[in-house]
Amino acid sequence: MGMNKKMDNSTIMRIALEQSAYDCCCAPEDFLSACNTVHVSEASDRARRYLELPHICNLVSYGTNIVITGRSDLLPQIAQCIERMPAIENCFETPGLYPINKILEKEGARICFMADYFLPDIDAVFQYDRVCDSAFSFRVMEDTELAGLYLPEWKNALCADRKHLDRLAVGAFYKEKLVGLAGCSADCDTMWQIGVDVLPEYRRQGIASALTNRLARETFERGYVPFYCAAWSNVKSVKNAIRSGFRPGWVEATAKSDAYIEDMMKKG
């Protein structure tokens, strides 16, 4: 793909919009429309690998409008509900989500995930200059080196359920001990998602942002666009994204079945 540090932010945004279009069964320009758009959700081999499609209901905004995708029988009610809201931001706040939930609850579903997605700012990524204590060393790790790292302490960096997608990682070491790990998953044909973990006793020392930034640069060098996701309420993760050179790209609110949510809460 020839993607490297010379890529510009407009190209990164174009790639992200194309991926979101695959995820939402629409066109990239739908996210830039002056009006909300509505689309029936369908399975796609070009969508992010971890998405469970078709969606019951999924709302996506790049800040201009809302792209609504989901079950055909629910879309008219949900779209009408959203059109009554005074601003797109209201749709992602609780007063806007409650009426959408009322529609979903009749079908045994609720809004489950509310996530912020971050895209790299090319200048911020390659001009990253935060200094981490020299006591820590950093090492790039290929996928063949990750087999023994599927442990609870690295559950955000690596995904045990999708090991085949984990392509690359960067580890932070104190002497010979692994104290932090950032990993990226080949979730799309053009974009790799970054996750990061640092052992509790080594946090607040700049390790997370150093790992995230290094992995972002390594991802670019391999020809892919890195992206980063955080629950909107995960302040620590959002701060890490910003420190590492990422900026807000888009937001999503995703519905899941009641059974899915209950199972998720049991697992913690």
Side-chain angles (χ1 to χ4, degrees):
M1 293 170 62
M3 201 175 299
N4 56 37
K5 65 182 180 181
K6 295 181 180 179
M7 175 184 285
D8 59 29
N9 288 335
S10 63
T11 303
I12 292 170
M13 179 58 73
R14 176 183 58 78
I15 290 170
L17 289 169
E18 288 173 352
Q19 184 57 53
S20 289
Y22 293 133
D23 299 341
C24 296
C25 302
C26 66
E29 54 267 26
D30 286 323
F31 298 97
L32 306 176
S33 171
C35 302
N36 298 331
T37 64
V38 183
H39 312 270
V40 175
S41 181
E42 298 177 354
S44 169
D45 59 4
R46 302 294 297 275
R48 278 174 277 159
R49 311 289 189 246
Y50 59 88
L51 294 182
E52 297 179 357
L53 298 176
H55 282 301
I56 300 169
C57 172
N58 195 53
L59 311 175
V60 179
S61 179
Y62 275 76
T64 303
N65 69 342
I66 298 174
V67 170
I68 308 159
T69 183
R71 278 175 31 185
S72 59
D73 59 321
L74 297 175
L75 286 175
Q77 300 175 69
I78 293 170
Q80 186 178 48
C81 181
I82 289 173
E83 288 298 335
R84 289 198 294 264
M85 297 181 194
I88 60 173
E89 294 82 4
N90 298 124
C91 183
F92 294 89
E93 297 175 334
T94 48
L97 292 174
Y98 289 152
I100 294 173
N101 258 347
K102 286 185 178 180
I103 297 169
L104 295 169
E105 284 169 357
K106 296 176 183 177
E107 302 298 323
R110 288 170 282 166
I111 295 294
C112 179
F113 299 116
M114 296 172 63
D116 289 335
Y117 286 85
F118 297 82
L119 293 170
D121 178 290
I122 202 72
D123 291 331
V125 167
F126 284 96
Q127 293 174 10
Y128 176 88
D129 60 359
R130 290 177 175 269
V131 178
C132 195
D133 193 314
S134 60
F136 301 106
S137 60
F138 297 83
R139 180 163 62 87
V140 177
M141 307 166 75
E142 301 294 338
D143 54 356
T144 54
E145 303 175 74
L146 305 179
L149 297 178
Y150 289 91
L151 304 169
E153 54 264 44
W154 312 125
K155 65 180 180 180
N156 292 308
L158 303 175
C159 181
D161 293 335
R162 297 186 297 274
K163 294 179 182 179
H164 64 289
L165 296 179
D166 289 331
R167 291 288 189 270
L168 188 69
V170 177
F173 294 83
Y174 178 70
K175 298 180 180 179
E176 298 300 317
K177 180 181 180 180
L178 181 65
V179 301
L181 185 69
C184 58
S185 176
D187 290 334
C188 323
D189 293 340
T190 55
M191 301 173 71
W192 286 3
Q193 182 171 193
I194 291 178
V196 63
D197 291 291
V198 177
L199 297 181
E201 61 269 33
Y202 293 93
R203 292 172 186 169
R204 303 182 69 84
Q205 299 184 63
I207 295 173
S209 66
L211 286 170
T212 304
N213 179 270
R214 175 68 182 276
L215 189 54
R217 288 184 281 122
E218 294 288 340
T219 300
F220 273 126
E221 293 298 335
R222 284 160 175 75
Y224 299 90
V225 171
F227 72 105
Y228 186 105
C229 177
W232 71 269
S233 56
N234 191 340
V235 176
K236 291 185 293 185
S237 187
V238 170
K239 285 183 176 180
N240 180 58
I242 301 299
R243 291 188 187 109
S244 306
F246 287 76
R247 301 293 181 262
W250 74 97
V251 295
E252 297 195 24
T254 306
K256 290 290 186 181
S257 69
D258 291 341
Y260 178 99
I261 295 171
E262 288 166 12
D263 185 59
M264 181 184 72
M265 297 305 290
K266 288 177 184 176
K267 292 178 180 178

